[in-house]
Amino acid sequence: AQKITQTQPGMFVQEKEAVTLDCTYDTSDPSYGLFWYKQPSSGEMIFLIYQGSYDQQNATEGRYSLNFQKARKSANLVISASQLGDSAMYFCAMSLSGGSYIPTFGRGTSLIVHP
Amino acid sequence: DGGITQSPKYLFRKEGQNVTLSCEQNLNHDAMYWYRQDPGQGLRLIYYSQIVNDFQKGDIAEGYSVSREKKESFPLTVTSAQKNPTAFYLCASSIGRGLNEAFFGQGTRLTVV
């Protein structure tokens, strides 16, 4: 079984500051992928960043970085220099090589960026 | 442009009626998924298909049915047996092999009136 936990229902951040969104996971499969998606109020899910379980370095994509701590089974998303347009729901997800690669999602974190 | 198209965006259903949500993709993806989203619940898997003419139940399949007659299409029928169908429904697709991201449609908001 696989499980994704996001413990922060809501987060607030000041514009231009950095924010960390927490995600922990649980799996016994050694080969897995971790994903973060953004869901603005329009509803569609936008892929942000990916981290593979065998990747040695933390993933980065522009202002997004993933703080991957394998031993602690955490995959936190860091957004640097927050912008008003970053206000949205953020979902952490996991796929397992032994689980037919089906994405499993956490409950999400609502991020609000204040001017 | 490649992508996933869901229709309609909003759907209203009377109690006791079946309704079908459309999902079409032109990404040449093998795998397609249907998720249900309720406030505070995240995304829950209803059905998935990894190849044409084959599909599997997800975590909350009761009251739903699907078909996969074409690679591009994966319609979801919400039957009258679904006790609480009011929700936001998201269709997604992925390559299906390997740890690749999923691509999503814009969703269908279903309301029972």
Side-chain angles (χ1 to χ4, degrees), chain A residues 37 39 44 91 100-103 107, chain B residues 35 37 40 48 50 96 98 102:
Chain A
Y37 293 84
Q39 186 181 42
E44 69 176 300
F91 291 92
S100 302
Y101 308 109
I102 300 164
R107 295 193 171 203
Chain B
Y35 291 92
Q37 185 177 14
Y48 67 96
Q50 294 177 304

Side-chain angles (χ1 to χ4, degrees), chain A residues 33-110:
Chain A
L34 296 157
F35 306 81
W36 277 92
Y37 293 84
K38 173 184 179 180
Q39 186 181 42
S41 58
S42 59
E44 69 176 300
M45 300 281 281
I46 302 166
F47 166 71
L48 296 177
I49 195 167
Y50 163 80
Q51 179 86 41
S53 60
Y54 294 118
D55 293 343
Q56 295 297 313
Q57 294 193 337
N58 288 342
T60 61
E61 288 286 348
R63 294 187 298 111
Y64 304 109
S65 60
L66 201 152
N67 185 2
F68 181 45
Q69 298 188 41
K70 193 171 183 177
R72 299 177 63 180
K73 293 189 175 180
S74 74
N76 298 340
L77 177 70
V78 181
I79 305 174
S80 63
S82 296
Q83 302 172 356
L84 296 179
D86 293 334
S87 295
M89 285 291 294
Y90 288 82
F91 291 92
C92 181
M94 177 168 64
S95 295
L96 307 180
S97 291
S100 302
Y101 308 109
I102 300 164
T104 299
F105 289 81
R107 295 193 171 203
T109 296
S110 174

Side-chain angles (χ1 to χ4, degrees), chain B residues 32-107:
Chain B
M32 296 188 74
Y33 314 90
W34 274 105
Y35 291 92
R36 170 178 171 145
Q37 185 177 14
D38 297 283
Q41 295 274 1
L43 277 68
R44 293 183 291 170
L45 183 66
I46 304 173
Y47 268 98
Y48 67 96
S49 168
Q50 294 177 304
I51 196 169
V52 176
N53 292 322
D54 185 55
F55 49 83
Q56 304 295 330
K57 293 182 179 180
D59 300 319
I60 56 165
E62 185 176 351
Y64 300 97
S65 65
V66 294
S67 63
R68 188 86 186 277
E69 298 176 0
K70 298 187 300 181
K71 188 175 186 177
E72 302 79 18
S73 179
F74 192 40
L76 174 74
T77 297
V78 184
T79 74
S80 57
Q82 169 51 235
K83 299 304 180 188
N84 185 21
T86 294
F88 188 58
Y89 292 86
L90 283 161
C91 179
S93 72
S94 70
I95 293 175
R97 300 172 301 282
L99 297 166
N100 300 288
E101 74 269 26
F103 293 77
F104 284 81
Q106 293 201 321

